Amino acid sequence: MLKIKDLRAMSSDELEAKLLEKKKEQFNLRIQQSTGQLQNTAVIRSVRREIAKINTLLAERKKNN
């Protein structure tokens, strides 16, 4: 799980790359869930929250600039 402190240390470009990575992970988890291969469904929730954290930070930075 990503910590907000660690995310704040990243640049905006790094955050956007991390966001893309997490969205791909979310997509793969949804596919696994639909085919019945996913054992731990709580992972989807944590990835969704990490995406929200990144989006919040990006919005904060855009607002302040």
Side-chain angles (χ1 to χ4, degrees):
M1 181 128 214
L2 296 172
K3 302 278 186 198
I4 197 77
K5 180 179 161 184
D6 298 333
L7 290 174
R8 286 190 191 276
M10 292 181 175
S11 71
S12 293
D13 291 336
E14 290 173 327
L15 283 175
E16 296 208 7
K18 183 66 85 170
L19 179 63
L20 184 62
E21 174 188 324
K22 290 296 176 181
K23 284 188 175 187
K24 286 180 182 178
E25 182 179 352
Q26 182 184 33
F27 175 77
N28 289 330
L29 288 171
R30 282 198 324 251
I31 296 298
Q32 287 178 12
Q33 184 181 29
S34 67
T35 59
Q37 296 174 350
L38 186 63
Q39 299 295 321
N40 185 5
T41 57
V43 177
I44 294 174
R45 182 178 181 188
S46 67
V47 170
R48 194 173 67 231
R49 287 183 177 198
E50 289 172 358
I51 290 171
K53 286 179 186 179
I54 294 169
N55 280 330
T56 301
L57 278 176
L58 288 172
E60 276 180 9
R61 289 183 182 182
K62 187 180 250 186
K63 182 181 176 185
N64 290 334
N65 288 337

